[in-house]
Amino acid sequence: MHYWRSKLGHVSSQTLYKTCRDYIAKDSYNRAKSIVKDLKEYSTYYNGLCDPMAAHPWTNKILKNALDDMNRIGYDMARPLLLAAVRRYPHDEEKISVVARMCLNFMIRYISVLKNKPTSIEKDISVWASDPSFSIEMLKAKFEEKAPDAKFKEALSNISIPYTSPLAHYLLCVYEAEGFNRKEFWTSPGRSNNTVEHILPQEVNATTPSGQYWLTQFDNQDNCSIYIERLGNYAFLTKTAQSKALNREFEHKKFIYSTETDMRLTKELTNYKDWNLSNIMARQAKMADVLTKAISFNI
């Protein structure tokens, strides 16, 4: 289906067989031969989209990482565009890499942050991929129109994400890399046990001193529930460090943040006197600014 969309236009999984049958029937031998030839040629590249870290066909590390990130977060609907890039820029992995990174950033913007339904863009992706004038420049213009900076930044400033989501982990890694010039994505060597830390803890028990502290900071239990999953409330800690921080007061947590990790997105929290609603929003606005510049189409 992804091959068909990349070359011959939009088709659904339900209508693929009939569409293919009718297309071949108009010139059965030549069209069938052409499709079989294409499928043989592109199968190696498609396998590389599904398993980018394999030895073949890619050698470009940036390309492999972008494709791997797409797979981790669950974006396979951009594959027609990637196949179109292979066709448009044969053997030019640098340009294919640009397309892959643009597609990753578009999926993050349009689907995950702006919360558009995947079905709302499937047909457009097929049209763009099968367009004879397909190019990096054309794709950039289409992406910018559908997921502009202003809307993306505004949505990021208010987004809540489950801490178990691969996207939450990815955004924190990008913020660490770009916001503090670390240039490390996903989990860097030696930090394989990093987990997402809730600064305002997941559990606020009103019967404990620490629970009373957090209720004072956030006024009530409802506010605690609302802001627990805000992006600005997340950082990275090892499991061992998290077991020391637990649900304790912010002053105690700051000591853990300053001594138990070298992640700068975590250490920056020691600059805050207290942790409350306004500080979550201020930090998230800062993160949104960094992420909008980093997750862009200016590759």
Side-chain angles (χ1 to χ4, degrees):
M1 184 171 66
H2 288 153
Y3 158 76
W4 194 276
R5 290 178 176 180
S6 75
K7 191 169 184 180
L8 297 166
H10 184 68
V11 65
S12 67
S13 56
Q14 293 82 2
T15 61
L16 178 59
Y17 171 77
K18 181 179 183 299
T19 303
C20 183
R21 181 196 65 194
D22 293 347
Y23 175 80
I24 292 174
K26 293 178 181 178
D27 186 1
S28 57
Y29 176 77
N30 289 324
R31 288 190 172 184
K33 181 179 179 181
S34 175
I35 288 175
V36 170
K37 180 182 177 182
D38 272 358
L39 289 174
K40 181 180 179 181
E41 178 182 354
Y42 288 115
S43 62
T44 300
Y45 296 106
Y46 193 82
N47 185 63
L49 301 182
C50 300
D51 185 14
M53 292 306 180
H56 301 288
W58 318 118
T59 59
N60 185 295
K61 185 177 180 181
I62 295 175
L63 171 58
K64 290 165 80 78
N65 287 339
L67 295 173
D68 191 47
D69 288 342
M70 270 193 271
N71 289 345
R72 291 188 190 217
I73 304 176
Y75 302 138
D76 66 349
M77 64 184 300
R79 287 177 182 171
L81 296 171
L82 298 168
L83 291 175
V86 170
R87 184 172 64 250
R88 175 68 175 80
Y89 304 110
H91 312 300
D92 191 338
E93 289 192 20
E94 186 172 345
K95 287 186 177 178
I96 298 171
S97 170
V98 171
V99 173
R101 292 159 66 197
M102 287 172 58
C103 286
L104 170 63
N105 291 350
F106 177 69
M107 293 291 110
I108 290 172
R109 285 185 173 222
Y110 188 82
I111 302 296
S112 297
V113 176
L114 294 177
K115 305 295 185 183
N116 292 295
K117 293 181 179 180
T119 52
S120 69
I121 201 67
E122 277 186 339
K123 188 172 182 180
D124 286 325
I125 286 176
S126 300
V127 171
W128 301 338
S130 60
D131 190 328
S133 64
F134 176 90
S135 68
I136 289 172
E137 294 74 20
M138 180 268 275
L139 199 59
K140 181 175 182 290
K142 299 295 186 182
F143 284 170
E144 287 176 340
E145 179 185 353
K146 293 287 186 179
D149 284 356
K151 287 186 177 181
F152 180 56
K153 185 175 180 180
E154 180 182 4
L156 274 175
S157 298
N158 296 286
I159 197 169
S160 295
I161 311 175
Y163 77 99
T164 54
S165 165
L167 179 67
H169 196 276
Y170 182 81
L171 293 177
L172 291 175
C173 286
V174 174
Y175 181 61
E176 171 76 6
E178 298 295 332
F180 303 98
N181 199 32
R182 295 295 288 265
K183 304 305 178 188
E184 302 172 56
F185 287 86
W186 288 99
T187 311
S188 54
R191 302 194 184 97
S192 59
N193 61 345
N194 273 333
T195 59
V196 176
E197 153 77 355
H198 293 74
I199 306 155
L200 163 65
Q202 289 178 276
E203 295 183 10
V204 176
N205 188 341
T207 65
T208 65
S210 59
Q212 284 296 318
Y213 164 80
W214 289 112
L215 287 172
T216 299
Q217 293 298 108
F218 285 84
D219 294 333
N220 54 60
Q221 191 75 51
D222 287 343
N223 278 346
C224 290
S225 299
I226 291 170
Y227 284 88
I228 283 172
E229 290 192 338
R230 287 296 179 99
L231 182 62
N233 189 52
Y234 290 155
F236 277 141
L237 273 183
T238 63
K239 291 182 179 179
T240 301
Q242 277 193 321
S243 69
K244 296 177 182 179
L246 293 175
N247 301 331
R248 297 286 299 277
E249 297 89 341
F250 186 58
E251 196 62 35
H252 174 82
K253 287 197 168 199
K254 282 203 296 183
F255 175 76
I256 303 300
Y257 299 159
S258 67
T259 59
E260 296 284 341
T261 181
D262 69 341
M263 302 298 281
R264 294 179 190 176
L265 83 164
T266 307
K267 286 184 174 294
E268 78 167 349
L269 296 165
T270 61
N271 297 325
Y272 292 88
K273 182 179 179 180
D274 289 306
W275 195 246
N276 50 39
L277 188 154
S278 61
N279 283 339
I280 286 180
M281 297 308 295
R283 181 169 181 255
Q284 189 156 333
K286 177 186 175 185
M287 297 172 85
D289 186 56
V290 171
L291 294 170
T292 299
K293 295 174 182 175
I295 303 175
S296 76
F297 308 123
N298 296 316
I299 307 298

